[in-house]
Amino acid sequence: MTLMRVGHFKSIPWIPPYAAHDAWPVTFVDCVSSTVIDLLRQVDVTPMATVDWFPRQQDWCRLENHGLWIRERAGSVLLFSPWPIEQLGGKEIAISDETSTSVRVLHALLTGKYGLSLGTWRRGVVENDQHTPRLLIQNQAVHEIARRRFEYVYDLGHEWRKWQGVPLVPAVWVYRRGLSSDKTRFIADLLDSSLGEFSERTGVHIESHRHRNGWTASTQTVERLLRNFEYRMNVEAERGLEAMRSELPVVLPQLIK
């Protein structure tokens, strides 16, 4: 029997969906949010960055109410800067290679909320550079905030909610159109089981993922960060999804090197 191929994110916000990692009878395909679209032929079911799913809805369907949304603050979708955000007009910004959704959120915030003209943004972050503003997500953001190197740190989940009044939805779970209902139900049941398992043995699963993936953040830090996220979409999250569809650029107009 051929196992279903499931996109596997190793980053911190995704621990609950993969809590019972070793018990999943599937083939995991390791990826991050920015690489999923390059691996679509290799997966049957996967989390997908919201902005990547919008133009692919004809081929990829939502998996019930499974997704990832931010309650108030993400704690791991962060803009680091030596200057206040109001002074970033025309400045170069370094962008994490892992991000798809948050780079468009930052674009919308700077142009729509703050009315700034944008400079050139570049992919890739030089770790020792303490002068270039940078957008980091997930593990990279957690590591950078621990260094305390930048005077100004902006949480994009919080900035978005203050502006739009709805939560930010970084990703949704999707499956390839045409996948049988028994297979999609099977994966949805695995996700439900993992969420339940995680809630019962949170510390155990965080420790397991820390050791498996070599994370430096403490168990307490990770547990605190995970309280910022929800993994089942509700009415409020659906409103956030529609606001993103309306406000975020499909294609970034400024040059990203």
Side-chain angles (χ1 to χ4, degrees):
M1 176 181 175
T2 302
L3 296 177
M4 270 189 290
R5 303 163 299 173
V6 177
H8 180 231
F9 288 18
K10 296 180 178 180
S11 53
I12 285 172
W14 289 98
I15 294 176
Y18 301 113
H21 178 284
D22 297 326
W24 283 50
V26 303
T27 298
F28 284 121
V29 178
D30 288 340
C31 47
V32 296
S33 60
S34 61
T35 64
V36 168
I37 57 173
D38 297 323
L39 299 172
L40 290 184
R41 293 188 178 184
Q42 300 179 36
V43 296
D44 302 302
V45 184
T46 185
M48 185 181 290
T50 302
V51 296
D52 290 333
W53 173 68
F54 284 153
R56 292 173 175 82
Q57 290 177 238
Q58 290 188 340
D59 299 315
W60 292 87
C61 308
R62 293 266 302 276
L63 182 64
E64 298 185 0
N65 67 338
H66 292 286
L68 180 72
W69 60 279
I70 300 166
R71 292 176 177 174
E72 295 290 340
R73 298 176 183 269
S76 57
V77 184
L78 305 173
L79 172 67
F80 298 87
S81 175
W83 307 285
I85 196 169
E86 294 86 355
Q87 297 178 20
L88 293 184
K91 294 191 182 300
E92 182 181 59
I93 298 177
I95 306 296
S96 166
D97 290 327
E98 297 184 0
T99 176
S100 292
T101 297
S102 61
V103 65
R104 287 169 172 78
V105 173
L106 180 60
H107 180 283
L109 286 168
L110 292 183
T111 58
K113 181 179 180 181
Y114 291 99
L116 301 178
S117 58
L118 302 182
T120 298
W121 294 2
R122 59 174 169 82
R123 284 284 185 181
V125 176
V126 179
E127 186 172 321
N128 294 329
D129 174 13
Q130 300 184 44
H131 305 288
T132 304
R134 62 204 48 209
L135 173 62
L136 302 177
I137 67 170
Q138 298 172 348
N139 296 11
Q140 291 181 347
V142 174
H143 293 156
E144 182 59 63
I145 200 167
R147 296 186 182 107
R148 301 180 180 274
R149 300 190 301 176
F150 289 89
E151 183 175 357
Y152 299 94
V153 180
Y154 297 92
D155 188 302
L156 266 60
H158 183 58
E159 289 287 324
W160 174 265
R161 185 177 274 277
K162 285 196 302 181
W163 182 34
Q164 294 291 322
V166 291
L168 187 64
V169 184
V172 291
W173 274 85
V174 296
Y175 63 89
R176 184 188 308 279
R177 185 174 296 278
L179 196 66
S180 65
S181 58
D182 60 324
K183 290 182 177 180
T184 59
R185 181 66 260 164
F186 178 70
I187 298 297
D189 287 345
L190 282 173
L191 289 171
D192 288 333
S193 176
S194 270
L195 288 166
E197 169 71 17
F198 183 81
S199 68
E200 293 178 5
R201 299 199 301 157
T202 301
V204 170
H205 287 294
I206 290 176
E207 274 297 297
S208 173
H209 281 257
R210 284 184 69 246
H211 291 298
R212 176 181 282 130
N213 298 303
W215 295 344
T216 58
S218 69
T219 298
Q220 293 75 18
T221 296
V222 176
E223 187 169 0
R224 186 168 58 251
L225 281 167
L226 290 176
R227 296 190 191 113
N228 298 329
F229 295 91
E230 293 286 352
Y231 297 88
R232 291 187 178 94
M233 301 283 285
N234 62 11
V235 173
E236 184 183 25
E238 294 295 341
R239 288 199 295 265
L241 202 65
E242 291 310 307
M244 293 172 66
R245 192 193 303 273
S246 172
E247 295 292 338
L248 300 188
V250 176
V251 177
L252 294 172
Q254 88 285 347
L255 175 65
I256 297 183
K257 294 182 180 179

